[in-house]
């Protein structure tokens, strides 16, 4: 794969029922939700293992958030913005974020499989990165994300 410059920073956060407990020490044997296929850094799975947490995988944020609200799971771990967006969309009560676990950059990826067939790819990536830099510098990118999240409030 070839990648663009970093686009956004994804923040993996923990949302729990009980905000008085200290994460992760006081969550031994807790039921923690996550999404199928979400790529967590190994350090997060280490936290789950060391604290003997029961991990439940869900198809999407909406299902996991309903389980959290119904207290069928104690905590939910996923990208902060995606969770807030889904929570607002479902019109559920505000969430209680208790910890940030990791931050990772997101990128636009380009397969190398057909590189010889698509000669425009290098120019496209260069132009994409140039325009990305401009919208980061002038605040447009942050404004787009902020406006998108507000639309569900």
């Amino acid at each position: 794969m070839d990648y663009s410059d970093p686009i956004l920073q994804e923040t993996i956060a923990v949302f729990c029922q009980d905000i008085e407990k200290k994460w992760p020490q006081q969550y031994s044997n807790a039921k923690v939700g996550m999404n199928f296929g979400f790529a967590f850094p190994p350090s997060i799975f280490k936290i789950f293992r060391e604290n003997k947490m029961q991990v439940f995988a869900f198809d999407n944020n909406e299902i996991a958030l309903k389980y959290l609200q119904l207290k069928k799971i104690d905590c939910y771990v996923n990208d902060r913005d995606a969770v807030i967006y889904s929570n607002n969309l479902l019109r559920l009560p505000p969430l209680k974020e208790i910890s940030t676990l990791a931050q990772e950059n997101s990128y636009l990826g380009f397969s190398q499989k057909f590189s010889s067939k698509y000669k425009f790819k290098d120019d496209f990536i260069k132009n994409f990165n140039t325009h990305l830099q401009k919208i980061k510098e002038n605040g447009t990118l942050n404004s787009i994300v902020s406006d998108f999240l507000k639309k569900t409030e």
Side-chain angles (χ1 to χ4, degrees):
M1 295 287 290
D2 291 319
Y3 295 95
S4 69
D5 290 343
I7 301 172
L8 294 171
Q9 190 170 67
E10 181 177 77
T11 300
I12 300 172
V14 181
F15 300 88
C16 295
Q17 297 288 340
D18 187 350
I19 60 170
E20 302 301 317
K21 292 181 179 180
K22 185 166 175 69
W23 176 270
Q25 300 87 338
Q26 294 181 321
Y27 281 92
S28 288
N29 301 310
K31 296 176 183 172
V32 179
M34 58 177 278
N35 285 11
F36 281 115
F38 191 83
F40 288 122
S43 60
I44 294 176
F45 288 107
K46 183 178 179 194
I47 291 170
F48 294 161
R49 272 192 317 278
E50 288 177 350
N51 292 280
K52 297 179 177 72
M53 296 176 182
Q54 301 171 56
V55 179
F56 297 84
F58 296 96
D59 287 335
N60 57 54
N61 289 341
E62 290 79 8
I63 294 170
L65 288 170
K66 288 177 184 177
Y67 269 73
L68 184 63
Q69 183 178 12
L70 294 170
K71 299 182 180 180
K72 292 184 178 187
I73 58 174
D74 301 302
C75 301
Y76 181 50
V77 178
N78 204 346
D79 170 64
R80 176 190 291 141
D81 288 344
V83 171
I84 292 170
Y85 173 81
S86 296
N87 195 70
N88 290 344
L89 198 63
L90 293 170
R91 303 205 186 292
L92 296 174
L95 294 166
K96 300 167 188 165
E97 181 180 338
I98 63 162
S99 184
T100 296
L101 299 183
Q103 292 185 316
E104 296 182 340
N105 288 321
S106 62
Y107 303 85
L108 183 57
F110 304 88
S111 171
Q112 292 178 352
K113 186 175 182 180
F114 302 104
S115 287
S116 61
K117 186 176 178 182
Y118 299 107
K119 305 286 186 198
F120 63 87
K121 186 176 80 170
D122 291 339
D123 278 344
F124 180 85
I125 295 171
K126 182 180 174 189
N127 285 327
F128 180 87
N129 288 338
T130 298
H131 290 288
L132 176 62
Q133 187 62 33
K134 285 179 187 174
I135 66 170
K136 281 181 168 183
E137 287 173 359
N138 68 22
T140 301
L141 183 61
N142 287 338
S143 179
I144 290 168
V145 172
S146 179
D147 289 350
F148 182 76
L149 291 174
K150 286 180 187 174
K151 286 182 181 179
T152 61
E153 291 179 343

